[in-house]
């Protein structure tokens, strides 16, 4: 016989989507300091222990929220004919998505990226493209981190400051991001085989 018992979250009528949406709202309102399991429970009108039916910790909650954002990133196929162009397209899409969620950029900085299923998928595609572009296996991980830092850092420069002003015009930051990405890719792939060639 199938058990009809339900966890506290189910009894409260919550879904995982409800929890993540409320967490996203708290982050938008007050940043990472505003989000705790207790504050989230207050927002949802439940006891804090109810939330553990859905997430094990604040860290996991943050990673789930960030990973939901990364679902918007448009990734090329790992076997795209020009791997360098594929890397450029992937990182440009990542940067553009981050610009669309400026309140979460500080969270990405604090977490040094994301660790959910979408983050893993995008990381695997990026690693494959780096290998195909001729990057040595021992350097792939470091190259990935450099590219991610460039995307998150550039998005942070484009964000609105605490006084409501933009220190740099978004178009200027984007132009700098694009130029910097080109420099990084030229350096990362220096000495590698031409795209589509052996190696």
């Amino acid at each position: 016989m199938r058990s009809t018992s339900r966890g506290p979250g189910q009894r409260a009528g919550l879904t995982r989507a409800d929890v993540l949406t409320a967490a996203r709202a708290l982050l938008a309102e007050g940043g990472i300091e505003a989000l705790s399991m207790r504050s989230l429970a207050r927002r949802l009108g439940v006891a804090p222990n109810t939330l553990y039916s859905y997430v094990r910790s604040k860290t996991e909650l943050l990673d789930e929220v960030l990973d939901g954002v990364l679902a918007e990133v448009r990734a090329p196929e790992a076997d795209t004919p020009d791997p360098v162009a594929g890397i450029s397209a992937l990182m440009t899409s990542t940067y553009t998505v981050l610009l669309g969620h400026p309140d979460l950029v500080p969270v990405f900085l604090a977490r040094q990226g994301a660790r959910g299923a979408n983050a893993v998928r995008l990381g695997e595609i990026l690693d494959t493209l780096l290998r195909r572009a001729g990057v040595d296996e021992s350097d792939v991980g470091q190259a990935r981190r450099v590219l991610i830092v460039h995307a998150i850092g550039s998005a942070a420069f484009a964000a609105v400051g605490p006084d409501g002003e933009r220190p740099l015009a978004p178009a200027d930051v984007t132009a700098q991001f694009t130029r910097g990405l080109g420099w990084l890719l030229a350096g990362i792939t220096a000495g590698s085989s031409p795209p589509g060639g052996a190696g």
Side-chain angles (χ1 to χ4, degrees), residues 78-84 86-87 90 120-145 147 185 188-199:
D79 61 354
T80 188
D82 185 341
V84 176
I87 296 169
L90 174 55
V120 170
R121 174 180 60 83
L122 294 171
E124 289 175 347
I125 292 172
L126 179 55
D127 286 358
T128 298
L129 291 170
L130 287 166
R131 294 186 189 100
R132 290 188 55 229
V135 177
D136 188 87
E137 184 65 37
S138 62
D139 294 328
V140 166
Q142 183 64 32
R144 178 188 350 106
R145 285 187 289 273
L147 291 167
L185 289 176
I188 288 170
T189 60
S192 64
S193 301

Side-chain angles (χ1 to χ4, degrees), residues 38-127:
R38 191 170 298 277
S39 65
L40 181 58
R42 282 197 300 270
R43 170 63 64 97
L44 291 166
V46 299
N49 70 318
T50 300
L51 301 178
Y52 293 100
S53 299
Y54 301 97
V55 290
R56 291 174 292 184
S57 64
K58 175 180 175 178
T59 297
E60 181 179 292
L61 181 62
L62 287 170
D63 284 341
E64 287 287 338
V65 171
L66 297 183
D67 204 56
V69 170
L70 292 182
E72 301 174 23
V73 175
R74 298 181 64 180
E77 296 295 329
D79 61 354
T80 188
D82 185 341
V84 176
I87 296 169
S88 181
L90 174 55
M91 299 317 302
T92 299
S93 180
T94 300
Y95 168 74
T96 302
V97 167
L98 291 173
L99 287 184
H101 301 275
D103 54 300
L104 289 182
V105 172
V107 186
F108 275 99
L109 284 169
R111 294 292 296 137
Q112 297 184 13
R115 294 158 181 80
N118 287 311
V120 170
R121 174 180 60 83
L122 294 171
E124 289 175 347
I125 292 172
L126 179 55
D127 286 358

